[in-house]
Amino acid sequence: MTKKSEFNLNGYILGEFDSPIDGKPCVAIATGFTSKSQNAKTGGDMIQTFFIRRDIEPHTAFKNGEGFSVCGDCPHAKYNNPKENGFDDCYVFVGRSVLSVYRAYKKGRYQHLNGDYSKFVGRGTRLGSFGDPSIVPQDIILNMVKYSKFHTGYTHQWRKPFAQFLKGLCMASADGMRDYIESTANGWKPFHVRKASDPKPQDAVMCPSSKEALRVSSCEACKLCDGSKLPVSIIAH
């Protein structure tokens, strides 16, 4: 049993649950309460959230298909053979921060939040530093949004019935114009990923933290990607 003095107070368990995708056991963990993120794109002071399987190391799950529980049919997931489908691999280095969070969880280093979302007050929250927020029970997501100063979030599962509660709270991850048009028609604000040779949709703004926008802002400063403002477009990175 972990002693109180041995807990890692940088992170908390938000909840343990079964994935609505395939019923496999998952967990939601938030970190960044005592130390800042090193992610310059998002900004260092945002709370990071990880939605992962609770019974298998994430880098293994990402390779053998078990990651389907948390990422579903995301075309960038390694188990979906993105290169063969014309997409880039997921940009998250699963064997680093995600694995570190998982191992701390398995060692019992994180306490359960037990509904005390006051820890989110005054902070920005990134819904899904890894994993799709659509798999997380609605009350967990809604409480994070309610208590956070602001949030960002993206879902590749925007077509699925279980993801519809995220409309207006998360961006629809749109890979190409077909996704852009379909998600927009269904009431979502898309985050549009395009090839450098493809034009930016007229009604979308260029992501301010992208290379093509000269990284003039961070997610923490921009705050556009909360699912309720404007469509955003970025060149695949």
Side-chain angles (χ1 to χ4, degrees):
M1 183 175 180
T2 305
K3 297 178 181 178
K4 189 172 182 179
S5 60
E6 295 176 345
F7 283 122
N8 182 344
L9 299 181
N10 189 53
Y12 287 87
I13 299 168
L14 304 176
E16 295 170 319
F17 51 90
D18 294 334
S19 170
I21 296 176
D22 59 6
K24 299 293 180 64
C26 297
V27 60
I29 297 169
T31 68
F33 294 98
T34 60
S35 63
K36 293 186 176 183
S37 166
Q38 300 301 308
N39 190 324
K41 181 183 184 298
T42 62
D45 200 39
M46 291 185 72
I47 292 172
Q48 308 291 317
T49 58
F50 299 83
F51 311 138
I52 54 180
R53 284 281 294 269
R54 62 178 190 260
D55 59 342
I56 183 171
E57 293 197 327
H59 64 303
T60 300
F62 209 51
K63 291 178 181 178
N64 67 10
E66 293 292 337
F68 185 71
S69 307
V70 296
C71 292
D73 54 8
C74 173
H76 304 284
K78 201 170 187 66
Y79 54 79
N80 281 328
N81 299 314
K83 294 298 185 185
E84 293 180 13
N85 296 324
F87 293 100
D88 291 327
D89 287 337
C90 177
Y91 63 87
V92 179
F93 294 106
V94 185
R96 295 181 186 175
S97 61
V98 188
L99 179 59
S100 177
V101 168
Y102 174 84
R103 288 180 174 173
Y105 162 71
K106 295 300 284 187
K107 290 177 181 177
R109 297 293 311 284
Y110 297 132
Q111 299 179 76
H112 284 266
L113 190 69
N114 291 325
D116 183 16
Y117 288 91
S118 64
K119 298 181 186 300
F120 287 79
V121 173
R123 301 288 302 279
T125 299
R126 186 181 178 197
L127 303 178
S129 305
F130 181 77
D132 197 293
S134 67
I135 72 160
V136 181
Q138 291 187 34
D139 65 307
I140 294 176
I141 296 294
L142 295 179
N143 274 308
M144 284 194 285
V145 170
K146 177 181 177 180
Y147 285 89
S148 297
K149 185 177 181 180
F150 67 92
H151 72 278
T152 62
Y154 313 84
T155 177
H156 264 103
Q157 308 308 305
W158 49 270
R159 293 182 176 90
K160 304 293 195 302
F162 61 78
Q164 299 309 303
F165 78 99
L166 292 175
K167 192 180 295 183
L169 298 176
C170 288
M171 309 294 284
S173 294
D175 296 286
M177 278 305 296
R178 175 181 288 184
D179 281 2
Y180 186 93
I181 293 169
E182 183 181 346
S183 61
T184 300
N186 283 282
W188 293 84
K189 299 297 183 186
F191 185 82
H192 175 238
V193 179
R194 69 187 197 278
K195 297 178 180 179
S197 58
D198 293 336
K200 178 183 72 63
Q202 283 191 333
D203 57 343
V205 298
M206 189 181 298
C207 172
S209 67
S210 65
K211 181 179 179 180
E212 58 270 24
L214 304 179
R215 298 191 173 95
V216 295
S217 185
S218 65
C219 299
E220 186 177 353
C222 173
K223 304 180 180 67
L224 275 179
C225 289
D226 66 358
S228 69
K229 296 185 177 71
L230 299 168
V232 178
S233 187
I234 192 172
I235 293 173
H237 59 284

